[in-house]
């Protein structure tokens, strides 16, 4: 999908970077003094962290990623365009609040189960607001609508009173915990 293409490009760029020690040395010669983060499918929000790090590098005035691509003689199609930056910024804006909510629910010291349903509702509202705000960008809207559908499907047992797995007693007791 067109909206995710910059993320695929960034993944290829980071993958090349991670495999070559010379690339690390070259990037260290720029104003960008951090490593690029590789997205790993089984790690929650790692694609968002990768996009954020790519965006940090793109904000440097000496264009460290272009310097890296040129000096490593990699395919110039890996260069991050302004359109790619815009899509990655939207991706981060969409997912960062979900990641923050996820982190707040991951406490080992206190019960947070009672916060799940309100957090899910807040996240769905955030996605809906992003869809409305960026309605003109059809590729973003398609991505965000799919995320909204999958999110709602995943938590249907808690959100839909008529769902076969909805258990009011369970939800009530977890809220009271």
């Amino acid at each position: 999908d067109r909206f995710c293409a910059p993320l695929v490009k960034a993944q290829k760029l980071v993958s090349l970077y991670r495999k070559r020690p010379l690339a690390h040395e070259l990037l260290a010669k720029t104003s960008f003094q951090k490593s690029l983060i590789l997205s790993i499918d089984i790690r929650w929000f790692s694609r968002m962290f990768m996009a954020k790090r790519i965006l940090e590098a793109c904000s440097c005035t000496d264009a460290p990623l272009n310097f890296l691509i040129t000096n490593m003689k990699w395919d110039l199609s890996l260069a991050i365009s302004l359109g790619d930056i815009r899509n990655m910024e939207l991706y981060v804006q969409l997912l960062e609040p979900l990641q923050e909510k996820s982190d707040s629910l991951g406490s080992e010291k206190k019960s947070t189960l009672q916060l799940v349903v309100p957090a899910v509702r807040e996240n769905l509202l955030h996605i809906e607001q992003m869809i409305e705000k960026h309605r003109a960008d059809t590729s973003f809207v398609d991505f965000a609508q799919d995320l909204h559908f999958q999110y709602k499907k995943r938590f249907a047992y808690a959100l839909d009173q008529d769902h076969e797995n909805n258990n009011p007693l369970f939800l009530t007791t977890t809220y009271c915990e």
Side-chain angles (χ1 to χ4, degrees), residues 4-19 36-41 46-51 54 78 80 88:
C4 292
L7 298 168
V8 172
K9 182 192 296 188
Q11 179 74 15
K12 288 177 186 174
L13 176 62
V14 174
S15 183
L16 286 170
Y17 163 81
R18 302 282 293 189
K19 292 176 185 174
L36 298 178
I37 298 172
L38 185 64
S39 169
I40 301 169
D41 288 340
S46 70
R47 187 164 289 133
M48 184 198 65
F49 292 125
M50 176 192 70
I54 291 286
L78 292 174
I80 306 296
M88 282 193 266

Side-chain angles (χ1 to χ4, degrees), residues 23-159:
H24 293 258
E25 293 173 27
L26 285 171
L27 195 58
K29 292 180 181 180
T30 70
S31 66
F32 187 70
Q33 296 297 302
K34 296 180 180 178
S35 291
L36 298 178
I37 298 172
L38 185 64
S39 169
I40 301 169
D41 288 340
I42 60 170
R43 305 213 30 109
W44 285 40
F45 299 105
S46 70
R47 187 164 289 133
M48 184 198 65
F49 292 125
M50 176 192 70
K52 284 176 76 170
R53 188 60 59 90
I54 291 286
L55 290 170
E56 282 182 64
C58 289
S59 71
C60 295
T61 56
D62 61 344
L65 297 179
N66 289 342
F67 175 79
L68 182 63
I69 291 167
T70 303
N71 285 285
M72 290 299 294
K73 298 180 180 19
W74 291 338
D75 187 345
L76 294 179
S77 68
L78 292 174
I80 306 296
S81 70
L82 291 176
D84 295 338
I85 291 171
R86 182 188 169 285
N87 279 13
M88 282 193 266
E89 287 172 340
L90 274 176
Y91 182 81
V92 170
Q93 286 175 28
L94 179 66
L95 292 182
E96 195 166 41
L98 279 66
Q99 178 261 324
E100 290 169 357
K101 196 71 72 190
S102 176
D103 286 354
S104 73
L105 295 173
S107 174
E108 293 180 13
K109 297 184 178 174
K110 62 180 180 169
S111 174
T112 58
L113 196 53
Q114 77 279 8
L115 303 175
V116 172
V117 172
V120 168
R121 287 192 175 121
E122 288 173 26
N123 286 344
L124 287 168
L125 179 62
H126 168 71
I127 296 168
E128 291 163 8
Q129 290 169 339
M130 289 288 294
I131 290 169
E132 190 57 38
K133 183 178 179 182
H134 300 284
R135 175 97 21 225
D137 186 341
T138 56
S139 63
F140 171 77
V141 168
D142 289 346
F143 177 82
Q145 284 177 333
D146 184 52
L147 176 64
H148 188 273
F149 173 79
Q150 295 298 330
Y151 205 84
K152 210 169 179 180
K153 182 178 169 184
R154 169 69 178 92
F155 292 102
Y157 74 92
L159 298 171

